[in-house]
Amino acid sequence: MVQDKNLPLQESNLVFGEGSSEAEIFFIGEAPGIKEDQLCRPFVGRSGQLLTKTIESLGLKREDVYISNIVKRRPPENRDPLSEEIEAYKPYLKEQIEIIKPKIIVTLGRFSMNYFIEKAKISKDQGKTFKVGDYLIVPMFHPAAALRGTTVLNQFQESFKKLPVVLKKYDDLMSGDDK
Ligand code: URA
């Protein structure tokens, strides 16, 4: 159970994830921030507002997708999650993915990207599509990085526009028959 007292970061609240159980797209961030900790919901602070707005620019609603993080509790002072924290919460993310069975997993930032594709580099690989097991992984910049500069913001928004195309080509991409 995710309420297990042996899991790390017990001093902060559990931010499990939210969205549709039928979601075709599953967004995975790093770990909750202060606002997420207060409201027990993922991506509801400034980065979350950008994420929500960009999801809506595709004609989707936040409720149509699923949103969660690798680490389900806020690290103190928003420090990077430690590898043992990522490891401890791994089984929960794995099960969330298995239950939702999305077509596309969008990783937001390098921690969730490297969780699926160990050797990937964010500036080189963001916006590309990778087939990993039963899923298509599309790494993207973290929205917090997009808020820090217009170049990254433009790349973030451009990469989002590829999602409907990837969804449409899903069967071909999964069968390795992409033209
Ligand atoms: N940053 C993340 O990675 N996740 C959140 O839920 C909020 C900010």
Side-chain angles (χ1 to χ4, degrees):
M1 255 275 266
V2 89
Q3 305 284 13
D4 189 335
K5 292 281 176 282
N6 295 322
L7 284 166
L9 305 168
Q10 289 292 327
E11 57 286 5
S12 53
N13 286 319
L14 175 66
V15 182
F16 188 66
E18 65 182 26
S20 167
S21 58
E22 312 278 295
E24 292 190 318
I25 310 178
F26 191 142
F27 290 88
I28 304 176
E30 186 177 308
I34 189 159
K35 192 90 184 174
E36 289 76 21
D37 180 45
Q38 284 163 355
L39 299 180
C40 301
R41 296 180 58 204
F43 281 101
V44 286
R46 277 189 72 227
S47 314
Q49 283 166 17
L50 175 62
L51 178 65
T52 305
K53 204 172 81 182
T54 320
I55 290 169
E56 287 170 353
S57 75
L58 302 179
L60 289 171
K61 294 198 213 69
R62 210 181 132 103
E63 306 85 83
D64 297 330
V65 301
Y66 196 84
I67 306 176
S68 190
N69 286 295
I70 297 217
V71 169
K72 312 291 189 206
R73 293 175 191 269
R74 179 184 179 226
E77 315 299 327
N78 290 350
R79 64 153 168 74
D80 288 347
L82 306 175
S83 51
E84 56 264 34
E85 290 161 355
I86 294 176
E87 210 46 47
Y89 285 97
K90 218 172 191 168
Y92 304 99
L93 180 62
K94 188 166 175 275
E95 199 151 331
Q96 281 175 306
I97 296 169
E98 281 169 9
I99 291 168
I100 308 286
K101 287 193 176 46
K103 290 184 169 171
I104 303 177
I105 293 174
V106 175
T107 59
L108 300 165
R110 69 189 162 93
F111 284 96
S112 52
M113 176 185 68
N114 290 141
Y115 175 92
F116 293 97
I117 314 164
E118 216 181 315
K119 295 214 161 74
K121 294 267 180 287
I122 195 84
S123 45
K124 179 164 79 68
D125 293 321
Q126 72 80 31
K128 294 184 184 166
T129 303
F130 298 84
K131 182 171 175 288
V132 179
D134 294 335
Y135 301 100
L136 294 176
I137 311 291
V138 182
M140 297 216 188
F141 283 117
H142 194 285
L147 284 170
R148 288 196 287 267
T150 43
T151 311
V152 173
L153 177 64
N154 290 340
Q155 286 177 282
F156 179 75
Q157 289 169 333
E158 283 309 305
S159 296
F160 252 77
K161 291 186 193 154
K162 294 182 185 167
L163 291 176
V165 183
V166 176
L167 264 186
K168 224 171 169 173
K169 296 204 308 189
Y170 174 79
D171 289 334
D172 289 344
L173 290 165
M174 287 308 283
S175 66
D177 207 16
D178 182 31
K179 287 169 198 99

